[in-house]
Amino acid sequence: MPATVKVKICEARNLPIMDRGGETTDAFVEVRLANNVFKTEVCRRTLDPKWDSDWFKFDVKDIELQEDPLQIRIMDYDTYSSHDAIGKIYVDLTNMLVSENRSSYTGWLPIYDTLLGIRGQLRIEIRLITFCVDMKSFWHPSQNVLFFASSLFPTGFHVKRIIGLVDHVIVADDPEHQWLIDKLRTPRSTNEARQLLFMKMSGELRRKIGGKVVDLGGNAVIALQQRIDLGNMGIILRVIGTAVVIEKMRTEFTVGETVLDTANRSSVSPVDRRRLAKVDIVPGLAPKIKDTTLRDGHESTNEYGNKVPGFDGIPENGHDDMTKFYLGSSQESDPPEGRTTSSAEFPFLTIKHFPNGLIKSLGGTVSCKLVKTLERVEQDDINQAPYALWWKEVRSEVFRLMKSIGCNAVIGYTEDVTLTDMGNIQLLCASGTAAVLDITLAVNDSTTEASWSTTLAKDNISKEQSTLQYPEMVGVSVTCNTFHSPSGIYTEHAAPTSSLCSVCRTGSVPDMLLLTIEPFTGMPIKGTGTLIQARVAVRRNRTFKGENGARELSEALPFVEFELHSQISTKLRLLGLNVVFGLKVDIKCGSEVIVALATGTGLYVTALPKPARLTVFSEKQSAAEPLDLQGKLDGLIEQQMRQLGLTDEKEDLKSGRPSRLLKQTPGHGKRRKTTGSRQYSKAGFIIDLEDDSSGSKDLLSLVDYLPSKETLLFGSEVCPIQDRLRQLRHAEYSLTGRPEVPFELQNFCRVWRSNLLNEQDELMDILPVFKTLLKDIVFRARVYRPCRICGLEFRISVTSDEELLVLAIGSILPEPVPLYGPAGPLKALLEIKRPQRQNNGRSGVSGSDENSDATTFPRFATDGASASAHLGETLHRDSLAASSTGVSLSKHGIMAGSRHRISPPRLPHLMTNNTLLSEAPFRHPSHVEISSLSFAHASTIKRYVGNLNLVILRECQTLREVEGPSGFIQLALSDVYAMVRAQALASGGNMILSFHVAQLQIADSYNQAQCIIYVSGDMVEAEDSMSFTESEA
Amino acid sequence: MDVVDVFITNRCYFDMKIYQLWLDGEREEGICKTTLAMEQMEDTPQSKQIVNSYVSDQLRTFHLLEKCLHSPPELINNPVFQMTDACRIFLLEKYYSFDRHYVRTLLGRKYSHRARRSFEEECQKMGIKQNSCYRQYENIRRISKAVVPMFGPSAKNIQTSFFLPESLCWDYACILFLSVQRIDLPGARLADLTFDDLAHCSTDLMKGWTLGSPQGAMVQKLPMDSAAVNQEGISDLRIDKDFLYSMKEFRFLLERDTMESLKRSVIQTLSGRGTGFSPSQELLRDLCRNLLIMALNLHHSKQLKIIFTDVMEKIVSPLKTAAWSRDDVSAFLSAFMNRAQDLNEFKSRDARLSGMWRRFYTAFNSCVLRLFRDNAVAPANSSLAPAATTLPKK
């Protein structure tokens, strides 16, 4: 009997009316965990019942605790008929298992019904009590494994060792497809059965993967990626993550202290420092990371296999400041020490953010696609299910590719599955960045840099002090080594061309790099990055069905990938960029159509050669058109490069060329893509115009949408912005005074669906679709201008009816001032706003309203003098004007104009001593910030309170009443957001990091719709690192 | 299959421009067009698509929000909409704000589901969209349903249950007062009274004559035990009937001699102002009489219903005919109130009378003054100008 869960049902509010006649509800609550059920009394005739029940005690086994969610059902009591369900609440108890969080779980949780959405809230209190002091002998060790969704080393923890990839797949029957039973039960109970199954499977998956991690000697999984695949073969849940050994920093950890600590340490004598490290083992164990001057990547790569150090994180051997990144692999001969237990099968890391210096060299993206067909998998032989084997196959191939370009690890690794033909054809995709990681990162005490974890923290602090609030790349130590090719000799998998590094002139670098990881500090960059997106849609003649369909699909894939690649490289050239960070490739297929999307942040890294100029070439010698196009193109490139801050250095475009190596292979010169309009060649990039001149149109349509200067788009979480630009801005701050940094972050989720085939059954052009979507997002973000949109991620899915569903998620971070451009943009901004304000005073607001404003106003100014009334009136008008220029009042509430340096207009009634209205705190304590980024941009993380892992089903049988599928999805998603926020609050957090609506599936017909939403993230407790400006006012 | 096009954010974002248009009862196409123009976007299919999707997102949100706006406490606790309190208050204020011309036509009626239909034709005349009218009517009905049964100051009640700004609360309190008392307002004589005139008057009456009014409590030494209070509760929506009934005691002033001496005293005061203003004796006598008679008869609920009509007919019209200025009227009314108390007949009676007299005529005179208005000032402006000078006392 390892644990007792105690549950108390306190009260509910805003319950729906269940008894039409009396307009009331007789509510009671049923609490269930595993097989035990408790019920509360019936609270009669009220919509806000109060139970204040006793503590319901559940004695549970550890497996039950991990796999079974606590189910709370709120019911309406009926004397004669059966009780009606109001809704349910599921509580995942696993987060409470992790020792630091074993406090109580309490808060208002939304009562959710799969058909009707949120119906009121219930306040509960849950406590977990464990009896065993000696945890190891009684507890399943996997209970103590921490899970993080963030793809970085979590703040507040020391990463002692990275183990490698862990994965697990489980399969189960889908209750939705058990049609025999399905006929008999209501949609509600089917949905609930499904939802419960998802929760249980998630729990099981966590338990299994936790066991694996423990077996490998780890104690945490970071960058956890969980996916659900639904087909007629059942439900497949799979998860991958990076197993690591982490250690929590002192519990009273705050960022300020740590920095103080490191500062102190540098001032005390070496002896003291050592003692400090011994006494306070935790800081001593901090992984020290060498920031610069690594040996050249070329030499080190040969040794990576057996350079495994002979210590494993225990400080006895004197190296108490060492970190071991041990990356083993099954194919490798085991290291001499024979520490097989601590090596994961593959040296793949799902982490995307890396500390400076850990990456020695980057080899580029490696990926593997595998098409498999499947007959139905029986429930019994889940263990014989081919999935695990398939993935092994894919990973082995990725591993082989990685080796072939001389790397020792794959970082930023992701896996994805596309199902078609009802799940009988599965396309498995795996991709990552091959890299050479520094396995032995040994650093002596004299380095100023503290541990990685504290570096992160320090970053936050320093940013707090400066005016910029966002973790940006800081190009402190310009190092180019990372970009040198990992080995001198290319294989056929490597980039077609390479040249000498333009920073050090010694290493050889590729022309272009595609990376799945996030930008890291210490890169030699120039200008600003921007979103790069390639989109391909291909229609095949045969449907992807059965064995032949699978063959068809696998034949089509290389062409799709090639087209993607060539689009990306063209776009990079058009913008004068040469590296893509945070590349995400999504390939999905319907029954005939393959849609592929690649998104990332393009960047100009100075180590790599400048992209060659695009030249237009036509076989016909009528020179007018190519010349014309060339001119247009040059102008466009020039303009875009200027916008990105790439042009101010007066450097000849061609200067990169002389350094080109001679040994490069002609590479893809011969290969042509399907339309044959572009080719690679050594001399540069040539666009071959075809006779029908569709090439020119094609090319210009490739030009990506570069939003206006006040909005920046990034595909990655980290925004690479050159130092110089930031300094420029700092200079501007010092001129104009420190601007109010808007403390806010907007997380958005854009869902768009349409048929890929038009009425004539032709495949529609998807380029404008995505362009419009991007424009749309920029348009929505206009109220936050100047701002940047980070972590913009597009996920697509294609149904068998060729319906394309696009899910775009990202975070909008407002900027105090426009990001680039010389000083004075503020003035321009204000000037733009002013005429607008004048002309819309009348247009938007009807005359009657204006009248009412004028007349209501004076009454309210009763207690003041008439002079103050006048002042108030102008303020009122101001705020009205601001609201009608489209500046949202909702963001800051009333503080609409603050961004424009107008004194914040307030509604007059808030300025009075009207106690009722003004007593309320400005920022609600129950406000939960949601960020799709892995880090907090303007606040410091105090602690992680749990991992968010939620599958929510929603069904609607009256689609017309909710304004069609759009209304339905809006309802479903906003309910999900609400539930996620409530869960974070109940766990004691106030922010969700790396929040992702990871999956969204919609099925609808006539008047019915159903959707499954899977969300994940990390719940944290964060602290505002800056006081909220309005609260002072 | 239909197109899905949704944009969800963590912090609720409401476009106040679109919100206003929606409140005005504008249709989706119209809003799209206006938004397109306001955002200064070029007229391409692409930007139309963007704006359309934006507008329909907003409208869907407003539809969802509307349910919560109907019961503001629910809005405060609603987990689905994450927004600042200031934003909530702003949304509520906008939602519950109304068109004064339209609501003027609704004053003094009973607000029920059934009565709704007949008004919808009127709204066409006013040039207001039907949806907007419906919202305004329903708002009044909702507030009336919730607040009328409550005790205590109604403006405060409205504020606590609907979280509206104070000025709006007072407006609604007036609407409720006029409705509860069933004050008759139609008719040619009252046609040019604006909402604000009536609201002002009812505020005066609520503050002076009702059970919840401060004077009421003060003068009557808090009639907590009286039967009327127990039945109806202390609310400023309910007229203090005992008080109006006891006004009958001033019948003695109607006696010929008393009236005469009162008139003389008033004339003395008025001419003492030194403005050369000399009204006719006849008129003054009639006015004094009318003022007094109205006070004596108001305890009949029929009389109370037509109070504004009476004031207009019996007091304001003769004054207008005589072309009095506003100052003159004001001087006359205060003279009437003050001089009467100086009369010997008055002084010889119960000391309580003086308090009642003041309580009655402070409110009444203020009403008369407001209803008189000054026609010298442009009538169109009247809703604004006098409101600023004569404010409800707090």
Side-chain angles (χ1 to χ4, degrees):
Chain A
M1 193 178 70
T4 298
V5 178
K6 296 206 298 180
V7 183
K8 184 178 186 174
I9 307 294
C10 304
E11 55 183 321
R13 65 185 180 199
N14 297 343
L15 288 183
I17 293 168
M18 299 300 284
D19 175 10
R20 284 274 146 221
E23 295 207 340
T24 56
T25 296
D26 307 322
F28 70 97
V29 181
E30 197 183 275
V31 190
R32 180 190 294 264
L33 179 60
N35 294 320
N36 302 319
V37 186
F38 288 103
K39 276 181 193 167
T40 63
E41 312 260 299
V42 179
C43 206
R44 288 199 177 273
R45 286 186 208 92
T46 171
L47 298 182
D48 304 301
K50 287 187 175 49
W51 290 282
D52 277 322
S53 71
D54 300 330
W55 288 98
F56 299 131
K57 291 197 183 82
F58 298 92
D59 298 326
V60 281
K61 293 194 220 77
D62 50 358
I63 288 188
E64 288 171 343
L65 204 55
Q66 278 182 296
E67 290 189 1
D68 284 310
L70 181 76
Q71 299 176 57
I72 301 164
R73 188 193 293 274
I74 296 88
M75 315 269 278
D76 175 53
Y77 181 84
D78 266 325
T79 321
Y80 303 110
S81 58
S82 59
H83 309 315
D84 299 322
I86 297 175
K88 279 192 95 170
I89 296 171
Y90 297 94
V91 181
D92 181 8
L93 295 171
T94 45
N95 283 328
M96 294 181 75
L97 283 170
V98 184
S99 46
E100 287 96 324
N101 304 332
R102 201 174 289 139
S103 51
S104 69
Y105 179 95
T106 176
W108 288 99
L109 296 172
I111 301 165
Y112 183 74
D113 181 75
T114 52
L115 290 171
L116 295 161
I118 291 178
R119 311 176 85 196
Q121 293 154 283
L122 180 75
R123 193 160 69 83
I124 55 165
E125 214 175 321
I126 304 174
R127 283 187 194 155
L128 186 75
I129 298 162
T130 51
F131 301 119
C132 307
V133 185
D134 183 9
M135 306 257 250
K136 273 190 184 139
S137 51
F138 289 95
W139 280 60
H140 192 281
S142 66
Q143 283 183 330
N144 287 328
V145 173
L146 292 163
F147 294 97
F148 296 99
S150 308
S151 58
L152 46 65
F153 298 153
T155 318
F157 291 92
H158 296 294
V159 175
K160 287 166 70 185
R161 195 153 56 89
I162 302 176
I163 294 165
L165 187 77
V166 281
D167 73 308
H168 197 78
V169 184
I170 53 174
V171 186
D173 268 327
D174 193 342
E176 182 87 354
H177 296 295
Q178 294 167 337
W179 60 272
L180 253 178
I181 308 167
D182 206 33
K183 289 259 169 190
L184 297 172
R185 59 184 171 189
T186 60
R188 181 172 279 128
S189 57
T190 306
N191 287 341
E192 279 170 8
R194 246 181 140 185
Q195 183 134 20
L196 187 63
L197 181 72
F198 284 131
M199 302 246 355
K200 284 191 170 177
M201 283 174 80
S202 282
E204 188 190 337
L205 205 56
R206 295 279 152 118
R207 189 171 61 81
K208 294 255 170 75
I209 205 155
K212 282 192 182 179
V213 170
V214 170
D215 288 346
L216 292 168
N219 63 2
V221 183
I222 51 182
L224 194 75
Q225 298 169 8
Q226 184 175 325
R227 291 290 178 270
I228 302 164
D229 306 322
L230 291 168
N232 62 356
M233 69 292 166
I235 302 170
I236 306 170
L237 236 71
R238 62 199 157 78
V239 64
I240 56 170
T242 308
V244 290
V245 182
I246 58 170
E247 198 165 86
K248 195 160 169 53
M249 292 187 196
R250 282 163 302 160
T251 41
E252 70 274 25
F253 165 79
T254 63
V255 175
E257 275 176 41
T258 318
V259 172
L260 204 71
D261 205 73
T262 47
N264 285 344
R265 279 172 69 193
S266 56
S267 63
V268 293
S269 70
V271 184
D272 285 346
R273 201 180 310 148
R274 195 157 196 86
R275 270 184 55 209
L276 195 80
K278 283 251 159 102
V279 175
D280 244 329
I281 302 165
V282 185
L285 280 175
K288 294 268 174 172
I289 279 125
K290 201 199 278 185
D291 51 347
T292 50
T293 59
L294 291 168
R295 279 162 305 147
D296 196 18
H298 295 267
E299 288 116 302
S300 64
T301 46
N302 306 326
E303 311 163 4
Y304 72 94
N306 36 22
K307 260 203 99 180
V308 178
F311 29 77
D312 72 357
I314 308 155
E316 288 110 63
N317 46 15
H319 302 275
D320 49 354
D321 280 326
M322 294 230 189
T323 318
K324 275 67 63 181
F325 292 106
Y326 171 65
L327 298 155
S329 78
S330 59
Q331 273 86 347
E332 285 292 297
S333 59
D334 281 323
E337 285 81 4
R339 195 166 287 109
T340 40
T341 50
S342 52
S343 73
E345 200 173 354
F346 292 101
F348 295 170
L349 308 183
T350 47
I351 307 166
K352 287 185 177 158
H353 297 262
F354 283 89
N356 192 9
L358 181 58
I359 303 168
K360 271 177 143 179
S361 181
L362 289 163
T365 298
V366 285
S367 72
C368 174
K369 314 254 176 318
L370 191 64
V371 182
K372 289 281 184 187
T373 54
L374 171 88
E375 296 312 313
R376 191 178 157 71
V377 182
E378 293 306 320
Q379 180 76 40
D380 315 332
D381 49 296
I382 277 174
N383 291 331
Q384 280 82 51
Y387 306 113
L389 282 174
W390 291 353
W391 282 117
K392 200 162 185 174
E393 208 176 307
V394 172
R395 289 177 198 141
S396 306
E397 178 63 19
V398 171
F399 185 79
R400 202 184 59 73
L401 285 170
M402 169 199 100
K403 293 278 302 229
S404 73
I405 50 171
C407 293
N408 68 353
V410 173
I411 54 183
Y413 178 73
T414 52
E415 288 178 351
D416 197 13
V417 166
T418 305
L419 307 177
T420 186
D421 186 18
M422 301 293 285
N424 288 335
I425 299 179
Q426 301 202 352
L427 168 60
L428 287 74
C429 308
S431 65
T433 304
V436 182
L437 290 193
D438 197 343
I439 292 163
T440 58
L441 269 179
V443 174
N444 40 13
D445 280 13
S446 58
T447 42
T448 47
E449 207 83 281
S451 68
W452 157 241
S453 9
T454 47
T455 331
L456 232 197
K458 213 174 77 185
D459 266 4
N460 271 348
I461 278 287
S462 65
K463 249 134 237 161
E464 187 193 336
Q465 284 154 355
S466 74
T467 38
L468 285 166
Q469 299 298 316
Y470 316 122
E472 286 178 328
M473 288 182 13
V474 192
V476 203
S477 49
V478 174
T479 168
C480 57
N481 293 350
T482 323
F483 292 95
H484 293 176
S485 302
S487 71
I489 307 126
Y490 275 114
T491 64
E492 74 266 37
H493 294 290
T497 54
S498 66
S499 46
L500 278 179
C501 169
S502 33
V503 174
C504 64
R505 301 270 169 202
T506 50
S508 86
V509 290
D511 256 1
M512 186 178 87
L513 259 180
L514 305 181
L515 304 168
T516 56
I517 56 166
E518 293 287 326
F520 44 88
T521 50
M523 292 192 310
I525 63 158
K526 196 176 155 198
T528 313
T530 188
L531 183 91
I532 295 283
Q533 197 176 51
R535 311 99 176 179
V536 179
V538 178
R539 189 175 187 187
R540 303 294 284 190
N541 297 328
R542 253 186 290 171
T543 52
F544 303 129
K545 207 163 180 75
E547 197 107 350
N548 291 331
R551 198 164 298 124
E552 181 80 18
L553 179 63
S554 60
E555 276 164 14
L557 279 175
F559 295 101
V560 171
E561 283 197 276
F562 182 75
E563 173 69 22
L564 266 188
H565 185 269
S566 72
Q567 270 191 26
I568 288 179
S569 62
T570 313
K571 285 184 176 181
L572 283 178
R573 277 160 222 271
L574 281 170
L575 292 164
L577 308 172
N578 54 17
V579 179
V580 175
F581 278 99
L583 181 73
K584 293 174 198 91
V585 181
D586 206 356
I587 299 181
K588 289 284 148 67
C589 48
S591 55
E592 278 178 20
V593 180
I594 304 174
V595 182
L597 193 67
T599 319
T601 298
L603 186 63
Y604 177 54
V605 175
T606 50
L608 269 65
K610 265 185 183 293
R613 180 167 171 262
L614 282 168
T615 26
V616 179
F617 168 78
S618 174
E619 286 184 353
K620 288 192 295 176
Q621 291 302 311
S622 60
E625 199 194 340
L627 268 183
D628 180 38
L629 185 61
Q630 181 81 54
K632 252 193 231 167
L633 210 59
D634 285 350
L636 194 72
I637 294 172
E638 174 78 20
Q639 180 228 320
Q640 293 194 327
M641 284 174 68
R642 199 179 308 121
Q643 194 176 338
L644 293 178
L646 293 170
T647 43
D648 20 11
E649 219 172 294
K650 295 291 171 218
E651 204 181 308
D652 192 355
L653 272 171
K654 289 154 199 158
S655 69
R657 252 191 236 171
S659 63
R660 203 171 289 274
L661 293 178
L662 288 172
K663 59 162 193 165
Q664 62 194 227
T665 52
H668 300 258
K670 291 272 152 46
R671 267 168 79 183
R672 287 179 150 227
K673 74 169 195 91
T674 37
T675 56
S677 65
R678 283 180 289 279
Q679 323 185 288
Y680 287 107
S681 112
K682 185 163 62 158
F685 198 69
I686 293 180
I687 293 150
D688 187 356
L689 281 184
E690 277 179 331
D691 293 359
D692 56 5
S693 82
S694 69
S696 67
K697 249 191 253 161
D698 193 28
L699 179 73
L700 287 177
S701 73
L702 273 180
V703 175
D704 239 319
Y705 170 59
L706 202 60
S708 72
K709 289 201 168 196
E710 284 159 30
T711 317
L712 281 182
L713 280 173
F714 293 104
S716 57
E717 293 180 14
V718 176
C719 315
I721 294 171
Q722 199 189 2
D723 265 2
R724 203 180 47 75
L725 288 174
R726 295 192 345 190
Q727 282 157 12
L728 236 165
R729 269 193 286 162
H730 280 275
E732 194 179 318
Y733 298 155
S734 54
L735 274 176
T736 55
R738 197 191 139 157
E740 280 176 47
V741 180
F743 174 80
E744 61 181 61
L745 180 156
Q746 180 68 287
N747 176 268
F748 66 86
C749 177
R750 182 93 175 78
V751 185
W752 186 88
R753 188 187 71 171
S754 175
N755 205 315
L756 278 168
L757 306 176
N758 59 17
E759 282 93 48
Q760 287 83 44
D761 202 38
E762 288 162 338
L763 183 64
M764 72 171 182
D765 190 7
I766 63 161
L767 297 184
V769 167
F770 286 98
K771 237 183 225 182
T772 313
L773 275 177
L774 277 179
K775 272 191 184 171
D776 184 272
I777 288 165
V778 171
F779 173 76
R780 309 263 182 159
R782 77 200 181 287
V783 287
Y784 303 98
R785 266 180 210 159
C787 67
R788 55 173 96 171
I789 302 170
C790 294
L792 189 58
E793 189 178 346
F794 285 78
R795 288 175 194 278
I796 53 172
S797 57
V798 184
T799 64
S800 51
D801 333 322
E802 319 296 3
E803 290 269 334
L804 174 68
L805 177 77
V806 184
L807 177 70
I809 44 181
S811 295
I812 303 169
L813 310 182
E815 288 280 331
V817 290
L819 284 159
Y820 34 29
L826 268 172
K827 222 189 289 170
L829 189 72
L830 279 173
E831 274 162 10
I832 296 163
K833 297 280 176 208
R834 204 155 289 140
Q836 280 184 354
R837 186 180 308 162
Q838 279 165 359
N839 64 22
N840 60 33
R842 254 138 249 113
S843 59
V845 186
S846 73
S848 62
D849 181 66
E850 226 174 42
N851 189 13
S852 78
D853 274 316
T855 44
T856 46
F857 188 73
R859 170 170 295 182
F860 138 77
T862 39
D863 35 8
S866 64
S868 83
H870 180 69
L871 178 76
E873 185 167 7
T874 49
L875 274 172
H876 193 181
R877 294 213 169 272
D878 209 26
S879 79
L880 258 184
S883 74
S884 45
T885 40
V887 178
S888 154
L889 282 153
S890 66
K891 301 173 296 156
H892 262 359
I894 298 313
M895 305 309 145
S898 59
R899 200 154 308 116
H900 312 296
R901 299 267 182 87
I902 305 163
S903 66
R906 288 160 185 258
L907 286 189
H909 62 260
L910 291 174
M911 287 159 58
T912 64
N913 300 330
N914 191 334
T915 50
L916 180 80
L917 302 178
S918 54
E919 252 172 23
F922 198 85
R923 187 184 164 194
H924 222 260
S926 62
H927 179 90
V928 178
E929 200 69 84
I930 293 182
S931 171
S932 67
L933 312 179
S934 303
F935 43 81
H937 83 290
S939 40
T940 43
I941 298 168
K942 271 168 80 185
R943 63 187 181 115
Y944 283 82
V945 296
N947 184 261
L948 179 79
N949 182 30
L950 208 60
V951 185
I952 287 155
L953 265 95
R954 185 70 184 264
E955 190 170 339
C956 177
Q957 297 179 324
T958 50
L959 213 47
R960 296 234 189 76
E961 282 172 28
V962 296
E963 298 170 55
S966 295
F968 168 64
I969 295 296
Q970 180 168 14
L971 276 172
L973 269 175
S974 22
D975 281 358
V976 168
Y977 266 82
M979 277 189 274
V980 160
R981 284 192 296 255
Q983 223 184 75
L985 278 178
S987 318
N990 57 8
M991 188 168 189
I992 296 166
L993 291 180
S994 67
F995 175 78
H996 281 272
V997 180
Q999 275 173 310
L1000 175 70
Q1001 295 190 5
I1002 312 171
D1004 64 330
S1005 63
Y1006 191 52
N1007 201 13
Q1008 288 188 1
Q1010 194 185 35
C1011 76
I1012 301 173
I1013 301 167
Y1014 171 61
V1015 291
S1016 65
D1018 283 327
M1019 299 181 281
V1020 298
E1021 188 185 348
E1023 220 171 34
D1024 291 4
S1025 53
M1026 46 186 291
S1027 54
F1028 197 46
T1029 40
E1030 273 74 25
S1031 63
E1032 295 162 3
Chain B
M1 292 235 236
D2 298 316
V3 165
V4 176
D5 197 351
V6 179
F7 189 89
I8 308 274
T9 53
N10 178 35
R11 293 160 182 268
C12 268
Y13 167 65
F14 307 104
D15 191 323
M16 290 307 164
K17 233 179 334 170
I18 297 181
Y19 188 59
Q20 188 59 57
L21 289 171
W22 175 69
L23 291 179
D24 291 343
E26 208 59 62
R27 290 191 170 275
E28 185 164 351
E29 303 89 63
I31 296 176
C32 286
K33 227 177 255 173
T34 322
T35 312
L36 196 70
M38 271 199 269
E39 297 294 339
Q40 297 172 334
M41 292 173 77
E42 71 274 41
D43 193 15
T44 61
Q46 216 181 43
S47 53
K48 260 187 191 156
Q49 189 189 331
I50 288 171
V51 166
N52 283 359
S53 117
Y54 172 65
V55 168
S56 48
D57 260 340
Q58 287 288 318
L59 292 184
R60 273 197 302 267
T61 314
F62 295 145
H63 283 305
L64 280 181
L65 193 70
E66 198 169 12
K67 278 177 216 143
C68 297
L69 287 170
H70 288 173
S71 60
E74 203 177 306
L75 181 74
I76 303 295
N77 293 330
N78 194 300
V80 178
F81 301 103
Q82 174 158 288
M83 54 181 137
T84 57
D85 288 339
C87 176
R88 280 193 192 97
I89 288 160
F90 187 83
L91 287 174
L92 282 171
E93 180 186 348
K94 282 277 156 211
Y95 190 79
Y96 282 93
S97 63
F98 50 83
D99 182 288
R100 297 184 164 243
H101 299 293
Y102 172 63
V103 169
R104 167 68 185 80
T105 64
L106 299 181
L107 287 178
R109 303 201 185 175
K110 198 177 171 187
Y111 304 111
S112 65
H113 266 301
R114 215 164 293 157
R116 182 198 309 149
R117 289 195 187 280
S118 58
F119 297 129
E120 288 184 353
E121 290 136 29
E122 286 174 38
C123 77
Q124 310 293 8
K125 274 186 270 167
M126 313 282 308
I128 304 166
K129 297 272 182 341
Q130 194 157 317
N131 282 350
S132 176
C133 286
Y134 179 73
R135 170 180 64 83
Q136 294 175 28
Y137 183 80
E138 285 293 296
N139 283 343
I140 298 174
R141 193 181 65 78
R142 203 173 302 116
I143 291 178
S144 154
K145 198 179 158 195
V147 172
V148 168
M150 288 185 181
F151 294 162
S154 50
K156 192 92 190 157
N157 288 340
I158 294 171
Q159 204 174 49
T160 43
S161 39
F162 288 88
F163 305 98
L164 296 179
E166 201 186 337
S167 57
L168 205 52
C169 289
W170 271 108
D171 285 343
Y172 274 109
C174 296
I175 296 172
L176 297 192
F177 176 77
L178 294 174
S179 161
V180 167
Q181 299 305 330
R182 300 275 180 282
I183 307 278
D184 273 344
L185 289 166
R189 288 217 167 266
L190 300 180
D192 59 338
L193 289 185
T194 63
F195 175 84
D196 289 282
D197 295 332
L198 291 169
H200 180 266
C201 294
S202 24
T203 313
D204 289 336
L205 299 187
M206 282 163 78
K207 289 190 170 169
W209 292 0
T210 56
L211 289 166
S213 62
Q215 285 104 321
M218 190 183 67
V219 172
Q220 302 198 346
K221 298 280 177 266
L222 243 164
M224 282 301 275
D225 47 344
S226 86
V229 171
N230 284 343
Q231 269 169 19
E232 301 200 314
I234 302 177
S235 162
D236 58 1
L237 294 180
R238 289 165 194 86
I239 287 283
D240 188 349
K241 291 231 175 79
D242 289 348
F243 163 66
L244 290 185
Y245 194 78
S246 57
M247 283 306 283
K248 279 207 288 195
E249 291 183 37
F250 291 105
R251 190 164 287 278
F252 67 88
L253 286 172
L254 270 182
E255 281 164 32
R256 199 183 171 84
D257 297 348
T258 328
M259 205 68 221
E260 206 49 37
S261 53
L262 176 60
K263 190 192 78 188
R264 237 178 290 121
S265 165
V266 168
I267 289 174
Q268 208 175 353
T269 320
L270 287 181
S271 50
R273 286 196 310 151
T275 48
F277 170 69
S278 51
S280 75
Q281 302 264 343
E282 295 280 291
L283 178 62
L284 270 183
R285 201 191 56 226
D286 284 351
L287 282 174
C288 291
R289 240 184 106 76
N290 285 344
L291 278 174
L292 205 56
I293 287 175
M294 281 188 72
L296 301 184
N297 289 336
L298 266 180
H299 63 273
H300 296 299
S301 54
K302 216 171 111 194
Q303 287 295 312
L304 188 63
K305 272 189 185 178
I306 55 163
I307 177 172
F308 293 126
T309 328
D310 262 6
V311 170
M312 286 304 270
E313 273 178 11
K314 295 186 177 150
I315 298 159
V316 174
S317 308
L319 287 175
K320 293 249 159 152
T321 330
W324 283 31
S325 76
R326 189 186 164 80
D327 289 340
D328 298 335
V329 177
S330 160
F332 162 70
L333 289 172
S334 61
F336 173 77
M337 184 166 80
N338 295 328
R339 292 292 145 251
Q341 290 179 79
D342 297 338
L343 294 176
N344 287 332
E345 290 85 345
F346 200 108
K347 279 181 182 159
S348 62
R349 281 162 204 265
D350 198 341
R352 196 170 48 90
L353 286 184
S354 164
M356 281 165 56
W357 182 260
R358 289 207 148 267
R359 180 181 172 191
F360 185 89
Y361 279 104
T362 315
F364 192 77
N365 287 353
S366 172
C367 281
V368 173
L369 207 58
R370 177 70 199 223
L371 293 181
F372 174 78
R373 297 191 294 186
D374 202 344
N375 282 355
V377 185
N381 233 354
S382 58
S383 62
L384 180 68
T389 51
T390 55
L391 297 162
K393 291 108 212 158
K394 182 131 192 238

